[in-house]
Amino acid sequence: MFPKFFRMPLMALLLLSLTGCDKDEETPQPMATTFDKQITFHIFTEADYRDSRWNNSNMRLHLQLRRLAQNPHKETVVLDTTISWAAFRDMPSKAASLQFARRLPQVNRLDEQVTVSISKVVSIDGYQTTFAHQQTLQPEAETEVVEVKL
C-alpha cells in the first residue's frame, strides 16, 4: 500500500504520536501528619514604669500550654508556670525580653490543637485586677513565637 521507503518514517511518526510529549507533572508530597513543634515565649513590656507613681505596683503572671487531642479526647498540660509577684519597674523591656522555649514532640496536625492560656494579676496601690487571654496556635507551624506583653 505505501512504498517501502515511506514505511519507516510513517512508523516513527505513529510511535511518536502514541507516546506523546507530555511532561510528567510532579505530584506534591503530602505533609507529615506528626511533627515536633517548637514554641518560644517572649515576655516583655512596652511601657516605661520607672516613674515613682508605679512604686506600689506589682504583677503576677501565669502561663499554661496545653495539647488537646480530639480522637480520643485527651488534654495534656505541658507547661504550667507562675512568675511570682514582680514590681512593674522590674518588668523586662522588649529589647531585653524574658525568653524560653518548649518543644512538643509528635504533634498531630490533623487531630491536635495546642493552646496557650495567659493570665496576669495586676496590683496597683493595693487594688487588684485580673486579665486573661487564651489562644490556639497555628496547627501547621512547626515553630512559633508567643509574645506575652505585660
Side-chain angles (χ1 to χ4, degrees):
M1 150 164 166
F2 289 109
K4 196 173 190 177
F5 62 91
F6 279 120
R7 287 184 197 159
M8 251 344 196
L10 188 60
M11 189 65 91
L13 185 60
L14 182 62
L15 282 174
L16 275 175
S17 67
L18 289 176
T19 58
C21 298
D22 292 339
K23 183 179 175 184
D24 290 339
E25 290 185 26
E26 293 182 23
T27 55
Q29 295 295 324
M31 295 177 82
T33 304
T34 60
F35 62 98
D36 291 353
K37 186 174 189 80
Q38 179 79 16
I39 302 164
T40 304
F41 291 90
H42 292 200
I43 301 171
F44 61 91
T45 184
E46 294 177 321
D48 182 3
Y49 293 114
R50 291 179 291 181
D51 191 79
S52 63
R53 69 183 171 138
W54 300 109
N55 284 350
N56 294 323
S57 301
N58 300 295
M59 183 183 305
R60 182 178 65 209
L61 179 68
H62 181 246
L63 296 173
Q64 191 176 69
L65 184 64
R66 294 186 323 252
R67 292 174 72 159
L68 304 166
Q70 301 303 318
N71 192 13
H73 181 73
K74 180 181 178 185
E75 180 176 329
T76 307
V77 176
V78 286
L79 172 70
D80 191 3
T81 189
T82 300
I83 299 174
S84 191
W85 291 103
F88 274 31
R89 69 179 172 277
D90 295 334
M91 300 292 158
S93 66
K94 188 169 186 173
S97 65
L98 174 63
Q99 298 181 19
F100 65 94
R102 181 67 63 165
R103 185 173 96 27
L104 305 179
Q106 299 299 304
V107 173
N108 185 327
R109 75 177 77 242
L110 302 176
D111 185 55
E112 281 186 275
Q113 288 183 337
V114 178
T115 62
V116 176
S117 298
I118 302 164
S119 67
K120 54 186 175 182
V121 179
V122 176
S123 175
I124 299 174
D125 291 326
Y127 296 100
Q128 291 187 0
T129 302
T130 302
F131 300 93
H133 171 73
Q134 181 173 329
Q135 73 183 64
T136 301
L137 301 183
Q138 299 173 22
E140 303 296 324
E142 292 185 19
T143 61
E144 203 157 348
V145 174
V146 176
E147 289 188 339
V148 180
K149 297 179 184 177
L150 303 174

